[in-house]
Amino acid sequence: MRAEHGLYTCEVVLPGNSPVHSAVGKPSTKKAIAKRSAAFEACVLLRQKKHLDENFLSTHHKYLPSMRNAHLALNVCQSSSYDMKIKPRVWQQCRGSLPKSLFMTILRLEKPENLGRKSRPIGLLTRTRLPDLPSVLLHLQIDKTSDLIFHTLDSSFDVSPENLSRLNAFTLRIYKDVFNKKFEVDGPAMSYWFAPVVEQFQPTRTALAELIDWSVVNYVSENEAWVWEPDCPHEELQDRYLVD
């Protein structure tokens, strides 16, 4: 939205994968009308390129296989005929008490440069060893993909109640950032934990507990939020994810 000579002109920006990237509306003395004009011009461009039908609905549709449930002979009325599993049973194993040792699965990007920003591997800590998992293709940016590699370590490492409490706080902080919800602190009920992995690691040569970047875990567990102040050094802002 820009104002010039008492008139407002609005530009609507569509997602990067849209066939029309932007559209500019006609100038108006009112902001609301300027916004509607920009939206209308975007619809006109999409309609001219036949990306919208006569009802202004997208002409691009995702079709699911018509016989996708045929392998199980399922339909709407028979869905209760089979035992349905909502969560893996592995999350329920050994739950109800604080573990004294944990297994680690390292998640890392095969092509981290395609993310477009600095990143590092992350560890998934579990009560029991996870099976070997296949890689998963992630679409990080437009035309930028990378396989997510799962490296499950064979042995476990001992964890103290103090370190487990710090890992618990670190994991719940991730939950809060992702789900925008504060979860109750209940260590015995936790099925898994997240932990930052040191940037330079060699799982075959490094002690398992030393693969975890405990300085990051301690900082997150001791500081519920990071608040910017005017006298904050610029280095403190580097490579941080900021939320307004």
Side-chain angles (χ1 to χ4, degrees), residues 94-143:
C94 305
R95 197 166 59 182
S97 61
L98 293 177
K100 296 182 179 180
S101 62
L102 295 173
F103 289 84
M104 180 184 297
T105 299
I106 298 178
L107 287 68
R108 64 177 181 85
L109 293 174
E110 185 179 27
K111 299 178 180 178
E113 64 276 6
N114 288 348
L115 184 60
R117 57 181 174 85
K118 188 178 179 180
S119 65
R120 68 164 67 186
I122 191 169
L124 179 63
L125 309 178
T126 54
R127 298 172 182 265
T128 58
R129 184 186 183 279
L130 294 181
D132 294 330
L133 301 172
S135 61
V136 177
L137 180 64
L138 300 181
H139 296 267
L140 305 176
Q141 299 186 72
I142 299 177
D143 298 330

Side-chain angles (χ1 to χ4, degrees), residues 158-201:
D158 296 333
V159 59
S160 64
E162 294 78 13
N163 284 340
L164 189 63
S165 177
R166 296 186 181 98
L167 292 172
N168 204 50
F170 183 86
T171 303
L172 294 181
R173 193 67 47 77
I174 294 178
Y175 286 174
K176 183 179 179 181
D177 291 341
V178 174
F179 302 109
N180 195 24
K181 180 180 178 181
K182 190 173 183 179
F183 290 82
E184 180 182 358
V185 179
D186 189 359
M190 296 286 287
S191 299
Y192 56 85
W193 294 262
F194 292 110
V197 177
V198 294
E199 297 186 20
Q200 302 295 333
F201 70 95

Side-chain angles (χ1 to χ4, degrees), residues 47 55-56 59 82 122 145 182 211 215 220 226 230-231:
R47 177 69 176 141
N55 296 318
F56 284 88
T59 57
Y82 298 85
I122 191 169
T145 62
K182 190 173 183 179
L211 293 175
S215 62
V220 172
W226 188 88
D231 58 347

Side-chain angles (χ1 to χ4, degrees), residues 22-56:
S22 65
V24 179
K26 297 180 180 179
S28 175
T29 56
K30 297 183 178 180
K31 291 184 178 180
I33 296 179
K35 292 180 180 179
R36 295 171 189 172
S37 176
F40 178 76
E41 293 297 331
C43 292
V44 170
L45 292 176
L46 291 170
R47 177 69 176 141
Q48 290 176 347
K49 296 184 178 182
K50 298 182 179 181
H51 297 296
L52 294 178
D53 59 15
E54 61 274 9
N55 296 318
F56 284 88

